[in-house]
């Protein structure tokens, strides 16, 4: 099924088109949501809302970009909204399971106390890094996450964010600088003379 | 290499492959400079955080969940209709339907004039059967007792 056929099928609310839509874009949607949220269960829940949004607003899709780019835009917006909602509810950041059914802090699973400490330390490090990323200004965060986590080329990021290529480069450069400063605060043992 | 050069190379290494001289400059500088060594260690922590995140896996049944949600939201006309009976209630419903069928069958197949007579016969046969069972129980008990002794 071509992209045009898929879009037509979604517009006509055909079940096979929905199935193909989910099969083709499920991983992209869930992974990107996860990179912003840091919690797989939340990303999976949000993915359902994202697919509903895609179907509901398919008539607004002008096809000036690819379907993939447009779906990225919806995913990023939805994920950032969820992060904002969490902040409003007082959950500044959240680190949950990396894998489905995995709980890194479930120390009962570990026989050796040394490994327990390692798991807790690793979790603390993850929390600190996620917190530092969450503190980046929104545009810097989007560009950085799409580039470093999602491996999207700068050109694609420019399309998703609807900005120029030099603007993407600048955002990522500033994101890296801010992140280094932020991490230096979070890990005083690594404090440099910057 | 100055600290500033080191940090610039640290940032640039994600966008392009550093040249061999650049890499050896970085190695040399990080051996001499504790501050840049720390920067490098911190960036490696970030790198492993990103690598862990990339390896994260969603629930293998997530597609089914998403499609079920879409079905509920958009109610496809061609979607298969779901039974209102939850799976566990199905055998119970089946038994009740069977019992009702038997009852209706019994009441409708016999003419009403014969019903009382047949009911009396049935009761008598049932009494006989009970007697047999009662005696059998005693016989079984006796056998058990004789076996024990
Ligand atoms: Zn240095």
């Amino acid at each position: 099924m071509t992209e045009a056929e898929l879009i037509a099928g979604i517009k006509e609310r055909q079940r096979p088109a929905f199935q193909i839509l989910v099969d083709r874009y499920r991983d992209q949607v869930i992974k990107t949501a996860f990179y912003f949220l840091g919690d797989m269960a939340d990303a999976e829940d949000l993915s359902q809302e994202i697919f509903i949004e895609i179907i509901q607003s398919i008539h607004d899709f002008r096809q000036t970009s690819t379907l993939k780019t447009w779906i990225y835009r919806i995913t990023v917006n939805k994920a950032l909204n969820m992060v904002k909602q969490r902040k409003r509810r007082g959950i500044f950041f959240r680190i949950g399971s990396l894998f489905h059914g995995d709980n890194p802090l479930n120390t009962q699973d570990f026989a050796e106390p040394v490994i327990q400490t390692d798991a807790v330390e690793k979790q603390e490090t993850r929390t600190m890094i996620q917190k530092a990323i969450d503190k980046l200004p929104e545009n810097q965060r989007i560009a950085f996450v799409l580039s470093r986590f999602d491996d999207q080329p700068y050109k694609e990021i420019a399309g998703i964010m609807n900005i120029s290529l030099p603007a993407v480069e600048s955002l990522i450069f500033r994101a890296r600088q801010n992140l280094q400063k932020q991490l230096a605060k979070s890990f005083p043992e690594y404090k440099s003379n910057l | 290499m100055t600290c500033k050069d080191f940090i610039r190379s640290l940032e640039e290494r994600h966008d392009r492959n550093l040249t061999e001289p650049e890499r050896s400059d970085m190695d040399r500088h990080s051996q001499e400079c504790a501050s840049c060594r720390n920067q490098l260690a911190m960036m490696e922590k970030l790198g492993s955080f990103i690598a862990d995140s990339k390896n994260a896996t969603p629930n293998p049944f997530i597609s089914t969940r998403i499609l079920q949600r879409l079905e509920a939201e958009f109610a496809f006309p061609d979607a298969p209709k779901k039974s209102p009976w939850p799976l566990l209630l199905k055998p119970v419903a089946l038994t009740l339907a069977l019992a009702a069928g038997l009852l209706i069958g019994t009441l409708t197949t016999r003419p009403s004039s014969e019903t009382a007579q047949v009911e009396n016969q049935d009761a008598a046969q049932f009494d006989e059967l009970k007697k047999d069972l009662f005696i059998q129980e005693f016989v079984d008990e006796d056998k058990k007792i004789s076996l024990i002794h």
Side-chain angles (χ1 to χ4, degrees):
Chain A
M1 193 184 267
T2 64
E3 193 170 295
E5 286 166 344
L6 177 61
I7 293 165
I10 299 168
K11 280 182 180 170
E12 286 165 23
R13 308 260 162 114
Q14 291 170 355
R15 197 180 186 280
F18 286 16
Q19 173 96 51
I20 291 168
L21 174 76
V22 173
D23 286 347
R24 265 187 211 173
Y25 295 100
R26 172 199 56 212
D27 287 356
Q28 175 190 315
V29 164
I30 297 175
K31 287 213 156 193
T32 306
F34 169 68
Y35 297 146
F36 283 97
L37 299 169
D39 183 274
M40 188 52 86
D42 280 355
E44 286 174 357
D45 287 346
L46 189 68
S47 73
Q48 300 178 26
E49 307 304 322
I50 292 166
F51 279 104
I52 289 172
E53 172 89 32
I54 292 166
I55 295 165
Q56 278 173 342
S57 40
I58 194 76
H59 287 281
D60 300 330
F61 177 45
R62 296 278 159 255
Q63 298 185 44
T64 47
S65 66
T66 61
L67 186 60
K68 178 188 160 198
T69 303
W70 185 68
I71 290 176
Y72 258 120
R73 260 180 231 155
I74 293 176
T75 307
V76 171
N77 278 334
K78 282 268 184 191
L80 288 175
N81 279 344
M82 195 173 192
V83 173
K84 279 177 204 158
Q85 276 169 14
R86 276 185 193 167
K87 278 184 188 171
R88 274 200 292 273
R89 290 204 309 266
I91 312 162
F92 183 64
F93 63 94
R94 182 158 144 193
I95 284 284
S97 55
L98 257 184
F99 301 94
H100 179 72
D102 172 33
N103 181 0
L105 279 181
N106 190 357
T107 48
Q108 283 172 341
D109 294 341
F110 299 108
E112 297 293 322
V114 180
I115 301 172
Q116 273 186 27
T117 317
D118 280 356
V120 172
E121 255 179 38
K122 200 173 178 193
Q123 182 68 3
E124 278 171 2
T125 305
R126 280 176 47 75
T127 305
M128 289 229 207
I129 295 172
Q130 184 70 51
K131 200 174 170 183
I133 293 169
D134 281 358
K135 277 187 180 169
L136 289 174
E138 199 167 276
N139 274 350
Q140 289 180 25
R141 199 180 346 152
I142 298 169
F144 183 79
V145 168
L146 290 175
S147 165
R148 286 295 308 278
F149 289 73
D150 238 333
D151 292 324
Q152 289 306 304
Y154 284 11
K155 203 182 159 201
E156 180 65 31
I157 298 170
I160 296 165
M161 297 181 75
N162 215 5
I163 54 176
S164 70
L165 213 57
V168 174
E169 286 167 358
S170 160
L171 281 175
I172 292 174
F173 182 77
R174 279 184 284 147
R176 278 193 206 132
Q177 283 188 325
N178 282 332
L179 206 51
Q180 282 190 356
K181 280 180 200 157
Q182 202 57 53
L183 288 173
K185 276 187 212 162
S186 306
F187 300 99
E189 67 271 30
Y190 294 140
K191 210 166 182 81
S192 71
N193 55 3
L194 280 175
Chain B
M1 184 178 242
T2 65
C3 291
K4 221 171 177 174
D5 295 335
F6 183 90
I7 298 302
R8 194 183 307 119
S9 297
L10 202 59
E11 284 167 355
E12 283 179 1
R13 69 189 181 143
H14 300 295
D15 300 330
R16 63 180 179 88
N17 287 326
L18 297 181
T19 61
E20 196 46 54
E22 279 173 324
R23 265 182 284 173
S24 50
D25 275 355
M26 277 186 85
D27 279 349
R28 210 174 309 124
H29 184 85
S30 68
Q31 276 165 19
E32 293 160 1
C33 175
S35 166
C36 286
R37 201 160 50 240
N38 285 342
Q39 280 290 314
L40 183 66
M42 207 166 62
M43 286 301 109
E44 273 163 4
K45 262 185 197 289
L46 176 65
S48 71
F49 173 82
I50 293 171
D52 279 353
S53 300
K54 282 180 182 177
N55 284 331
T57 48
N59 185 326
F61 302 109
I62 190 65
S63 291
T64 314
R65 260 177 63 199
I66 296 170
L67 279 164
Q68 275 173 349
R69 180 73 198 279
L70 296 182
E71 259 175 35
E73 198 74 25
F74 298 103
F76 307 114
D78 59 341
K81 290 271 178 294
K82 281 207 184 110
S83 163
W85 289 99
L87 212 59
L88 278 173
L89 278 178
K90 271 185 183 168
V92 179
L94 205 66
T95 312
L96 285 174
L98 206 66
L102 280 171
L103 188 68
I104 292 163
T106 314
L107 291 175
T108 51
T109 49
R110 283 172 181 161
S112 57
S113 58
E114 286 176 15
T115 308
Q117 196 191 340
V118 171
E119 269 174 5
N120 285 340
Q121 279 175 5
D122 283 352
Q125 276 174 1
F126 188 57
D127 279 346
E128 279 300 306
L129 194 69
K130 270 200 293 190
K131 250 186 246 167
D132 285 351
L133 285 170
F134 187 66
I135 291 160
Q136 195 61 42
E137 262 175 46
F138 272 94
V139 172
D140 287 347
E141 261 329 284
D142 287 348
K143 271 185 193 165
K144 269 189 219 162
I145 289 161
S146 62
L147 276 171
I148 292 164
H149 290 291

